[in-house]
Amino acid sequence: EYQADLSYEYETGQSTNYTEIAQRHKIVFDNEIIYNNKYFVSSLGFSEMLVAGKLSPFLPKAKLIFKFSNLPADIVFVVDYSSKLRYPSLNELYWTPGGNINLKPETSQNINLNIDIKRSLNRISFENKFVYFNIWANNYIQWNPTTNIYWIPKNIGSVYSRGFNNNLNINLKYTEDISLDLNFDYTFTQISRLKSLRQLIYVPYSQFNFGSDFKSKWINFGFNHHYTGKRFTDDINLNA
């Protein structure tokens, strides 16, 4: 199976913080070949962009999906690779003060491993989604504080980001009218310059979110709690 998509996007921005009206045209061509059988699904493709009259580098992508349904739980195993390109936003380029018209596009190579597990048993069902990610970025765009009250974005070179996210959702159905949903979400991220272990500024190692939702015929009640780990405010990781 072959799939292709061609899209056009026109961006414009006008603000008292812009010295002039900012505008940009973007054309994206995306295509892939998909092979599907009863054991796995695979795809191979690439994207190309034309932004502000400039053609992007070749952006390949590939994905492999395995599905296992004859086990105690349904399991989906996904490995995917993609090359991505992020152009600076209009604010990053033109906001005054702080915009940087000399920013270069950010390119990255991405490899992800995804495992999705589902199981239902009587009145209880759950789904656990696990993602392990690796991102190698060049011309990484980072906002940096200045001695003034504003920040400035700049390209800081090569950056390596790795970590994982785990999301667990549990549904407890007491009766047809009474149920409880519980969600646990945790993300660990280590992001540093290439060949360094020092965390980039203002990026926490850990983030955790807990959500619950009680539903009945008479009342709905929800509770949410979010935790963000410490973030460093300097490049040598002394101040957090």
Side-chain angles (χ1 to χ4, degrees):
E1 179 184 354
Y2 177 74
Q3 295 181 355
D5 180 73
L6 183 65
S7 63
Y8 167 77
E9 182 179 323
Y10 172 68
E11 292 181 272
T12 183
Q14 184 176 6
S15 169
T16 55
N17 291 92
Y18 285 5
T19 56
E20 59 185 34
I21 297 177
Q23 56 184 355
R24 183 165 62 186
H25 301 269
K26 181 168 69 173
I27 299 175
V28 179
F29 173 68
D30 182 70
N31 73 118
E32 62 182 341
I33 298 174
I34 302 172
Y35 176 74
N36 191 348
N37 65 26
K38 63 179 181 179
Y39 301 108
F40 66 89
V41 179
S42 62
S43 64
L44 184 65
F46 70 90
S47 299
E48 286 276 5
M49 297 183 188
L50 183 65
V51 180
K54 297 181 180 179
L55 188 64
S56 73
F58 181 73
L59 303 171
K61 60 180 179 179
K63 181 182 291 186
L64 190 60
I65 304 174
F66 294 94
K67 298 181 180 180
F68 305 93
S69 57
N70 296 323
L71 300 174
D74 293 333
I75 300 175
V76 178
F77 183 85
V78 182
V79 180
D80 71 83
Y81 161 80
S82 62
S83 180
K84 295 183 179 180
L85 177 67
R86 186 179 86 82
Y87 281 88
S89 68
L90 295 183
N91 281 349
E92 290 171 330
L93 291 170
Y94 303 115
W95 192 266
T96 302
N100 182 357
I101 62 173
N102 296 313
L103 283 175
K104 299 177 182 178
E106 177 185 310
T107 60
S108 65
Q109 310 300 318
N110 306 260
I111 298 177
N112 297 325
L113 169 65
N114 303 262
I115 302 175
D116 188 357
I117 302 174
K118 294 181 180 179
R119 176 71 191 271
S120 295
L121 184 64
N122 297 326
R123 298 183 181 274
I124 301 175
S125 63
F126 79 89
E127 181 175 11
N128 192 84
K129 296 181 179 180
F130 175 83
V131 180
Y132 175 72
F133 59 87
N134 285 272
I135 304 171
W136 294 266
N138 292 316
N139 295 323
Y140 185 81
I141 299 173
Q142 181 188 60
W143 282 85
N144 292 268
T146 66
T147 54
N148 299 304
I149 61 174
Y150 60 88
W151 294 42
I152 293 179
K154 64 179 182 179
N155 298 109
I156 64 171
S158 298
V159 166
Y160 177 37
S161 176
R162 59 279 196 196
F164 67 89
N165 169 264
N166 196 84
N167 182 281
L168 173 62
N169 191 79
I170 302 173
N171 175 263
L172 306 172
K173 196 167 186 177
Y174 299 103
T175 68
E176 289 298 321
D177 299 321
I178 301 175
S179 65
L180 176 65
D181 287 318
L182 302 173
N183 184 268
F184 305 84
D185 189 274
Y186 175 76
T187 300
F188 174 82
T189 304
Q190 185 172 3
I191 180 170
S192 58
R193 295 175 186 265
L194 207 61
K195 299 181 180 179
S196 172
L197 293 177
R198 291 174 176 170
Q199 188 83 343
L200 294 187
I201 59 173
Y202 297 102
V203 180
Y205 282 111
S206 295
Q207 294 187 80
F208 173 77
N209 189 76
F210 168 75
S212 62
D213 188 18
F214 175 80
K215 298 178 182 179
S216 73
K217 183 183 296 186
W218 307 278
I219 188 173
N220 288 357
F221 175 78
F223 173 79
N224 188 76
H225 175 73
H226 182 79
Y227 165 80
T228 299
K230 68 177 181 179
R231 291 171 282 192
F232 295 105
T233 58
D234 60 84
D235 289 327
I236 58 175
N237 291 176
L238 288 180
N239 299 310

